[in-house]
Amino acid sequence: MRENNLLPTSLRPLFDYPVRDTSICLGGDGWYYLTGTTGYPDWWGVTGDVQVWKSADLQEWTPIVTEPRKRSTVWNIDRDGTWQKEVGQRDGAPFRPLWAPEIHYLDNTYWIAYSIPRLGNGLLKSVSGRPEGPYEDNIRGEAPISEHIDASLFQDDDGSVYFLYDNGKIARMNESMTGLAEELRLLQPSNAEHVGFEGTFLFKAHGRYHLAGAEFIDGAYHCFVASAEHVYGPYGDRYLAIPHGGHNMFFKDMAGQWYSTFFGNSPHAPFQERPAILKVEFDRELRIRPVLDFLKG
């Protein structure tokens, strides 16, 4: 495992609002869209909003306007949900958070994968093709996967879309993306049981598949990555890619520059629970590392 504890010293939040598990995509209209876990201060309580912000330049961000509500919420469990509404108990307190919504622009519309702990993972589709929605559940029937968390999507070069979650589990979806077309399997690095215990994300760059996951090491919440030549592997050794940057995702801007999202969930992170980005590059071994001279803010 390659040790790397460096981050850009000027890494700053994109805006001052509590967001965990930050996700960003470049939309079909040339704007960037951001979402993530909201519900501060009780991340483990009863929440239910999927909120979205937009930016033209990755610097200035504004909430999406959703008529007639005039705020950033594009979907809400109590207003729009079905199976997601059940409120459970955790340590004697009401428990039904909505965690880690992840936004994608695929097939000319917007998709948001999300998790309701203990109930299941879902997938929302914008039926208008616009980022503000309206969004509807695209998974037919019950939640596709129960108990585990952190749903994600990956679209390969041939158009196939894969559903990921938990610690590296993956299955190809059917063509309508209403369910899974095959049994789930676990993608494993060669030197560990999993790439991370949560926060799985898969993307392709330089002809290779890069599988990211979040892991606590000595109290620090890091992003680890393992790579392969084929989507199902075999994957090589996992290595530390983004220190203190666990539960992130990777995206390209309009110029082709790769970025990692960041939110701060470690005692040594430069800030806590705020959305951020940092440039990343690939070294000679096609391993990911932060660009240390990247200045934000």
Side-chain angles (χ1 to χ4, degrees), residues 3 9 28-29 48 58 73 83 92 96 116 122 124 136 154 161 169 171 194 197 224 242 246 260 264 272 282:
E3 295 298 331
T9 57
D29 55 4
L58 292 175
T73 297
W83 58 267
R96 193 212 58 197
I116 311 294
L124 303 175
E136 294 183 354
F154 166 67
V161 177
K169 296 179 177 67
H194 50 235
F197 80 100
F224 288 86
I242 310 296
S260 169
Q272 299 293 313
F282 294 83

PDB file of all heavy atoms in Angstrom, residues 3 9 28-29 48 58 73 83 92 96 116 122 124 136 154 161 169 171 194 197 224 242 246 260 264 272 282:
ATOM      1  N   GLU A   3       1.954   4.827   0.792  1.00  0.00           N
ATOM      2  CA  GLU A   3       1.618   5.809   1.811  1.00  0.00           C
ATOM      3  C   GLU A   3       1.683   7.208   1.207  1.00  0.00           C
ATOM      4  O   GLU A   3       2.632   7.576   0.530  1.00  0.00           O
ATOM      5  CB  GLU A   3       2.589   5.712   2.999  1.00  0.00           C
ATOM      6  CG  GLU A   3       2.486   4.397   3.739  1.00  0.00           C
ATOM      7  CD  GLU A   3       1.126   4.171   4.354  1.00  0.00           C
ATOM      8  OE1 GLU A   3       0.456   5.170   4.709  1.00  0.00           O
ATOM      9  OE2 GLU A   3       0.717   3.010   4.477  1.00  0.00           O
ATOM     10  N   THR A   9      -2.684  22.285   0.506  1.00  0.00           N
ATOM     11  CA  THR A   9      -2.798  23.038   1.760  1.00  0.00           C
ATOM     12  C   THR A   9      -3.923  24.064   1.715  1.00  0.00           C
ATOM     13  O   THR A   9      -4.410  24.491   2.757  1.00  0.00           O
ATOM     14  CB  THR A   9      -1.477  23.759   2.069  1.00  0.00           C
ATOM     15  OG1 THR A   9      -1.126  24.608   0.973  1.00  0.00           O
ATOM     16  CG2 THR A   9      -0.364  22.746   2.304  1.00  0.00           C
ATOM     17  N   GLY A  28     -25.765  17.469 -19.096  1.00  0.00           N
ATOM     18  CA  GLY A  28     -25.851  17.619 -20.540  1.00  0.00           C
ATOM     19  C   GLY A  28     -25.942  19.052 -21.002  1.00  0.00           C
ATOM     20  O   GLY A  28     -25.744  19.344 -22.187  1.00  0.00           O
ATOM     21  N   ASP A  29     -26.244  19.967 -20.075  1.00  0.00           N
ATOM     22  CA  ASP A  29     -26.360  21.385 -20.397  1.00  0.00           C
ATOM     23  C   ASP A  29     -25.081  22.158 -20.137  1.00  0.00           C
ATOM     24  O   ASP A  29     -25.056  23.391 -20.249  1.00  0.00           O
ATOM     25  CB  ASP A  29     -27.508  22.002 -19.596  1.00  0.00           C
ATOM     26  CG  ASP A  29     -27.365  21.771 -18.094  1.00  0.00           C
ATOM     27  OD1 ASP A  29     -26.331  21.189 -17.675  1.00  0.00           O
ATOM     28  OD2 ASP A  29     -28.272  22.162 -17.341  1.00  0.00           O
ATOM     29  N   GLY A  48     -34.718  13.014   4.907  1.00  0.00           N
ATOM     30  CA  GLY A  48     -35.464  12.570   3.742  1.00  0.00           C
ATOM     31  C   GLY A  48     -35.300  13.389   2.494  1.00  0.00           C
ATOM     32  O   GLY A  48     -35.884  13.069   1.454  1.00  0.00           O
ATOM     33  N   LEU A  58     -17.504  25.273 -11.254  1.00  0.00           N
ATOM     34  CA  LEU A  58     -16.997  24.509 -10.114  1.00  0.00           C
ATOM     35  C   LEU A  58     -16.536  25.401  -8.960  1.00  0.00           C
ATOM     36  O   LEU A  58     -15.941  24.911  -8.003  1.00  0.00           O
ATOM     37  CB  LEU A  58     -15.837  23.578 -10.516  1.00  0.00           C
ATOM     38  CG  LEU A  58     -16.189  22.412 -11.419  1.00  0.00           C
ATOM     39  CD1 LEU A  58     -14.924  21.656 -11.835  1.00  0.00           C
ATOM     40  CD2 LEU A  58     -17.157  21.448 -10.733  1.00  0.00           C
ATOM     41  N   THR A  73     -34.402  21.148  -2.763  1.00  0.00           N
ATOM     42  CA  THR A  73     -34.886  19.772  -2.612  1.00  0.00           C
ATOM     43  C   THR A  73     -35.587  19.312  -3.883  1.00  0.00           C
ATOM     44  O   THR A  73     -36.608  19.877  -4.276  1.00  0.00           O
ATOM     45  CB  THR A  73     -35.853  19.661  -1.415  1.00  0.00           C
ATOM     46  OG1 THR A  73     -35.143  19.986  -0.222  1.00  0.00           O
ATOM     47  CG2 THR A  73     -36.418  18.255  -1.302  1.00  0.00           C
ATOM     48  N   TRP A  83     -41.977   2.808  -0.170  1.00  0.00           N
ATOM     49  CA  TRP A  83     -41.352   1.893   0.778  1.00  0.00           C
ATOM     50  C   TRP A  83     -40.355   2.594   1.692  1.00  0.00           C
ATOM     51  O   TRP A  83     -40.017   2.087   2.772  1.00  0.00           O
ATOM     52  CB  TRP A  83     -40.649   0.753   0.041  1.00  0.00           C
ATOM     53  CG  TRP A  83     -39.586   1.190  -0.933  1.00  0.00           C
ATOM     54  CD1 TRP A  83     -39.734   1.434  -2.262  1.00  0.00           C
ATOM     55  CD2 TRP A  83     -38.203   1.443  -0.637  1.00  0.00           C
ATOM     56  NE1 TRP A  83     -38.535   1.818  -2.827  1.00  0.00           N
ATOM     57  CE2 TRP A  83     -37.582   1.822  -1.849  1.00  0.00           C
ATOM     58  CE3 TRP A  83     -37.440   1.365   0.529  1.00  0.00           C
ATOM     59  CZ2 TRP A  83     -36.228   2.148  -1.931  1.00  0.00           C
ATOM     60  CZ3 TRP A  83     -36.083   1.691   0.455  1.00  0.00           C
ATOM     61  CH2 TRP A  83     -35.489   2.081  -0.769  1.00  0.00           C
ATOM     62  N   GLY A  92     -33.021   3.310  20.659  1.00  0.00           N
ATOM     63  CA  GLY A  92     -34.189   3.907  21.274  1.00  0.00           C
ATOM     64  C   GLY A  92     -34.671   5.193  20.643  1.00  0.00           C
ATOM     65  O   GLY A  92     -35.637   5.805  21.121  1.00  0.00           O
ATOM     66  N   ARG A  96     -34.363   6.921  10.372  1.00  0.00           N
ATOM     67  CA  ARG A  96     -34.655   6.752   8.953  1.00  0.00           C
ATOM     68  C   ARG A  96     -33.930   7.841   8.152  1.00  0.00           C
ATOM     69  O   ARG A  96     -34.517   8.730   7.563  1.00  0.00           O
ATOM     70  CB  ARG A  96     -36.154   6.810   8.658  1.00  0.00           C
ATOM     71  CG  ARG A  96     -36.511   6.317   7.246  1.00  0.00           C
ATOM     72  CD  ARG A  96     -37.721   7.054   6.673  1.00  0.00           C
ATOM     73  NE  ARG A  96     -37.515   8.487   6.623  1.00  0.00           N
ATOM     74  CZ  ARG A  96     -38.515   9.375   6.477  1.00  0.00           C
ATOM     75  NH1 ARG A  96     -39.761   8.973   6.410  1.00  0.00           N
ATOM     76  NH2 ARG A  96     -38.254  10.683   6.434  1.00  0.00           N
ATOM     77  N   ILE A 116     -31.341   4.092   2.001  1.00  0.00           N
ATOM     78  CA  ILE A 116     -32.089   4.222   3.249  1.00  0.00           C
ATOM     79  C   ILE A 116     -31.631   3.059   4.129  1.00  0.00           C
ATOM     80  O   ILE A 116     -32.018   1.915   3.899  1.00  0.00           O
ATOM     81  CB  ILE A 116     -33.615   4.135   3.039  1.00  0.00           C
ATOM     82  CG1 ILE A 116     -34.069   5.054   1.901  1.00  0.00           C
ATOM     83  CG2 ILE A 116     -34.341   4.463   4.343  1.00  0.00           C
ATOM     84  CD1 ILE A 116     -33.906   6.523   2.169  1.00  0.00           C
ATOM     85  N   GLY A 122     -32.171   2.791  -3.528  1.00  0.00           N
ATOM     86  CA  GLY A 122     -33.073   3.128  -4.614  1.00  0.00           C
ATOM     87  C   GLY A 122     -32.379   3.882  -5.726  1.00  0.00           C
ATOM     88  O   GLY A 122     -31.205   4.259  -5.629  1.00  0.00           O
ATOM     89  N   LEU A 124     -33.462   7.030  -8.488  1.00  0.00           N
ATOM     90  CA  LEU A 124     -34.410   8.015  -8.985  1.00  0.00           C
ATOM     91  C   LEU A 124     -34.044   8.410 -10.404  1.00  0.00           C
ATOM     92  O   LEU A 124     -32.867   8.529 -10.747  1.00  0.00           O
ATOM     93  CB  LEU A 124     -34.404   9.264  -8.099  1.00  0.00           C
ATOM     94  CG  LEU A 124     -34.702   9.067  -6.611  1.00  0.00           C
ATOM     95  CD1 LEU A 124     -34.534  10.386  -5.869  1.00  0.00           C
ATOM     96  CD2 LEU A 124     -36.091   8.499  -6.406  1.00  0.00           C
ATOM     97  N   GLU A 136     -38.760  10.213 -10.211  1.00  0.00           N
ATOM     98  CA  GLU A 136     -39.577   9.075  -9.833  1.00  0.00           C
ATOM     99  C   GLU A 136     -38.682   7.874  -9.567  1.00  0.00           C
ATOM    100  O   GLU A 136     -37.605   7.755 -10.148  1.00  0.00           O
ATOM    101  CB  GLU A 136     -40.571   8.719 -10.950  1.00  0.00           C
ATOM    102  CG  GLU A 136     -41.623   9.783 -11.192  1.00  0.00           C
ATOM    103  CD  GLU A 136     -42.626   9.361 -12.254  1.00  0.00           C
ATOM    104  OE1 GLU A 136     -42.413   8.281 -12.878  1.00  0.00           O
ATOM    105  OE2 GLU A 136     -43.596  10.097 -12.483  1.00  0.00           O
ATOM    106  N   PHE A 154     -22.357   2.967 -12.428  1.00  0.00           N
ATOM    107  CA  PHE A 154     -21.243   3.087 -13.370  1.00  0.00           C
ATOM    108  C   PHE A 154     -21.725   2.688 -14.752  1.00  0.00           C
ATOM    109  O   PHE A 154     -22.343   1.629 -14.913  1.00  0.00           O
ATOM    110  CB  PHE A 154     -20.071   2.185 -12.966  1.00  0.00           C
ATOM    111  CG  PHE A 154     -19.051   2.006 -14.058  1.00  0.00           C
ATOM    112  CD1 PHE A 154     -18.274   3.072 -14.477  1.00  0.00           C
ATOM    113  CD2 PHE A 154     -18.889   0.777 -14.678  1.00  0.00           C
ATOM    114  CE1 PHE A 154     -17.343   2.914 -15.499  1.00  0.00           C
ATOM    115  CE2 PHE A 154     -17.956   0.606 -15.688  1.00  0.00           C
ATOM    116  CZ  PHE A 154     -17.183   1.683 -16.105  1.00  0.00           C
ATOM    117  N   VAL A 161     -24.952  -0.362 -17.795  1.00  0.00           N
ATOM    118  CA  VAL A 161     -24.948   0.339 -16.516  1.00  0.00           C
ATOM    119  C   VAL A 161     -24.895  -0.686 -15.395  1.00  0.00           C
ATOM    120  O   VAL A 161     -25.614  -1.691 -15.418  1.00  0.00           O
ATOM    121  CB  VAL A 161     -26.182   1.235 -16.368  1.00  0.00           C
ATOM    122  CG1 VAL A 161     -26.197   1.907 -14.997  1.00  0.00           C
ATOM    123  CG2 VAL A 161     -26.203   2.297 -17.468  1.00  0.00           C
ATOM    124  N   LYS A 169     -19.677  -4.477  -3.960  1.00  0.00           N
ATOM    125  CA  LYS A 169     -20.610  -5.378  -4.637  1.00  0.00           C
ATOM    126  C   LYS A 169     -21.121  -4.717  -5.910  1.00  0.00           C
ATOM    127  O   LYS A 169     -21.374  -3.509  -5.937  1.00  0.00           O
ATOM    128  CB  LYS A 169     -21.755  -5.751  -3.710  1.00  0.00           C
ATOM    129  CG  LYS A 169     -21.301  -6.535  -2.481  1.00  0.00           C
ATOM    130  CD  LYS A 169     -22.471  -6.861  -1.575  1.00  0.00           C
ATOM    131  CE  LYS A 169     -22.005  -7.704  -0.386  1.00  0.00           C
ATOM    132  NZ  LYS A 169     -21.126  -6.947   0.523  1.00  0.00           N
ATOM    133  N   ALA A 171     -23.463  -5.417  -9.827  1.00  0.00           N
ATOM    134  CA  ALA A 171     -24.255  -6.220 -10.754  1.00  0.00           C
ATOM    135  C   ALA A 171     -24.674  -5.326 -11.917  1.00  0.00           C
ATOM    136  O   ALA A 171     -24.962  -4.138 -11.737  1.00  0.00           O
ATOM    137  CB  ALA A 171     -25.487  -6.810 -10.081  1.00  0.00           C
ATOM    138  N   HIS A 194     -11.557  -6.120   0.818  1.00  0.00           N
ATOM    139  CA  HIS A 194     -12.368  -5.188   0.027  1.00  0.00           C
ATOM    140  C   HIS A 194     -11.564  -3.910  -0.179  1.00  0.00           C
ATOM    141  O   HIS A 194     -10.586  -3.659   0.524  1.00  0.00           O
ATOM    142  CB  HIS A 194     -13.706  -4.888   0.729  1.00  0.00           C
ATOM    143  CG  HIS A 194     -13.549  -4.494   2.176  1.00  0.00           C
ATOM    144  ND1 HIS A 194     -14.195  -5.136   3.206  1.00  0.00           N
ATOM    145  CD2 HIS A 194     -12.800  -3.529   2.765  1.00  0.00           C
ATOM    146  CE1 HIS A 194     -13.870  -4.573   4.353  1.00  0.00           C
ATOM    147  NE2 HIS A 194     -13.024  -3.601   4.108  1.00  0.00           N
ATOM    148  N   PHE A 197     -14.787  -0.468   3.255  1.00  0.00           N
ATOM    149  CA  PHE A 197     -15.962  -1.115   3.839  1.00  0.00           C
ATOM    150  C   PHE A 197     -17.261  -0.425   3.434  1.00  0.00           C
ATOM    151  O   PHE A 197     -18.352  -0.966   3.638  1.00  0.00           O
ATOM    152  CB  PHE A 197     -15.837  -1.166   5.365  1.00  0.00           C
ATOM    153  CG  PHE A 197     -16.195   0.121   6.071  1.00  0.00           C
ATOM    154  CD1 PHE A 197     -17.448   0.263   6.662  1.00  0.00           C
ATOM    155  CD2 PHE A 197     -15.292   1.159   6.161  1.00  0.00           C
ATOM    156  CE1 PHE A 197     -17.777   1.438   7.326  1.00  0.00           C
ATOM    157  CE2 PHE A 197     -15.615   2.331   6.826  1.00  0.00           C
ATOM    158  CZ  PHE A 197     -16.868   2.474   7.404  1.00  0.00           C
ATOM    159  N   PHE A 224      -9.366   4.595  -0.637  1.00  0.00           N
ATOM    160  CA  PHE A 224      -8.470   3.618  -1.236  1.00  0.00           C
ATOM    161  C   PHE A 224      -8.991   3.262  -2.627  1.00  0.00           C
ATOM    162  O   PHE A 224     -10.193   3.315  -2.894  1.00  0.00           O
ATOM    163  CB  PHE A 224      -8.385   2.358  -0.377  1.00  0.00           C
ATOM    164  CG  PHE A 224      -7.621   2.549   0.892  1.00  0.00           C
ATOM    165  CD1 PHE A 224      -8.240   3.030   2.031  1.00  0.00           C
ATOM    166  CD2 PHE A 224      -6.271   2.256   0.945  1.00  0.00           C
ATOM    167  CE1 PHE A 224      -7.535   3.213   3.208  1.00  0.00           C
ATOM    168  CE2 PHE A 224      -5.552   2.432   2.110  1.00  0.00           C
ATOM    169  CZ  PHE A 224      -6.183   2.913   3.252  1.00  0.00           C
ATOM    170  N   ILE A 242      -6.664   9.152  -1.797  1.00  0.00           N
ATOM    171  CA  ILE A 242      -7.009  10.478  -1.266  1.00  0.00           C
ATOM    172  C   ILE A 242      -7.000  10.387   0.256  1.00  0.00           C
ATOM    173  O   ILE A 242      -7.940   9.893   0.869  1.00  0.00           O
ATOM    174  CB  ILE A 242      -8.395  10.948  -1.752  1.00  0.00           C
ATOM    175  CG1 ILE A 242      -8.528  10.817  -3.267  1.00  0.00           C
ATOM    176  CG2 ILE A 242      -8.640  12.394  -1.299  1.00  0.00           C
ATOM    177  CD1 ILE A 242      -7.585  11.703  -4.057  1.00  0.00           C
ATOM    178  N   GLY A 246     -12.266   9.832   2.370  1.00  0.00           N
ATOM    179  CA  GLY A 246     -13.169   8.716   2.190  1.00  0.00           C
ATOM    180  C   GLY A 246     -14.570   9.118   1.790  1.00  0.00           C
ATOM    181  O   GLY A 246     -15.019  10.229   2.052  1.00  0.00           O
ATOM    182  N   SER A 260     -11.432  14.745  -7.656  1.00  0.00           N
ATOM    183  CA  SER A 260     -12.060  13.959  -6.607  1.00  0.00           C
ATOM    184  C   SER A 260     -12.916  14.890  -5.757  1.00  0.00           C
ATOM    185  O   SER A 260     -12.528  16.038  -5.495  1.00  0.00           O
ATOM    186  CB  SER A 260     -11.020  13.293  -5.712  1.00  0.00           C
ATOM    187  OG  SER A 260     -11.625  12.741  -4.555  1.00  0.00           O
ATOM    188  N   GLY A 264     -14.504  15.731   4.296  1.00  0.00           N
ATOM    189  CA  GLY A 264     -13.883  15.891   5.609  1.00  0.00           C
ATOM    190  C   GLY A 264     -14.577  15.073   6.683  1.00  0.00           C
ATOM    191  O   GLY A 264     -15.585  15.507   7.244  1.00  0.00           O
ATOM    192  N   GLN A 272     -14.506  19.989   8.282  1.00  0.00           N
ATOM    193  CA  GLN A 272     -15.396  18.874   8.541  1.00  0.00           C
ATOM    194  C   GLN A 272     -16.757  19.087   7.861  1.00  0.00           C
ATOM    195  O   GLN A 272     -17.338  20.174   7.952  1.00  0.00           O
ATOM    196  CB  GLN A 272     -15.615  18.706  10.044  1.00  0.00           C
ATOM    197  CG  GLN A 272     -14.351  18.404  10.824  1.00  0.00           C
ATOM    198  CD  GLN A 272     -13.770  17.046  10.496  1.00  0.00           C
ATOM    199  OE1 GLN A 272     -14.476  16.050  10.445  1.00  0.00           O
ATOM    200  NE2 GLN A 272     -12.453  17.011  10.241  1.00  0.00           N
ATOM    201  N   PHE A 282      -2.820  10.963 -12.568  1.00  0.00           N
ATOM    202  CA  PHE A 282      -2.420   9.562 -12.594  1.00  0.00           C
ATOM    203  C   PHE A 282      -0.903   9.489 -12.775  1.00  0.00           C
ATOM    204  O   PHE A 282      -0.345  10.140 -13.671  1.00  0.00           O
ATOM    205  CB  PHE A 282      -3.116   8.830 -13.740  1.00  0.00           C
ATOM    206  CG  PHE A 282      -4.608   8.726 -13.567  1.00  0.00           C
ATOM    207  CD1 PHE A 282      -5.436   9.777 -13.929  1.00  0.00           C
ATOM    208  CD2 PHE A 282      -5.179   7.581 -13.035  1.00  0.00           C
ATOM    209  CE1 PHE A 282      -6.811   9.693 -13.767  1.00  0.00           C
ATOM    210  CE2 PHE A 282      -6.545   7.479 -12.869  1.00  0.00           C
ATOM    211  CZ  PHE A 282      -7.364   8.540 -13.233  1.00  0.00           C
TER     212      PHE A 282
END
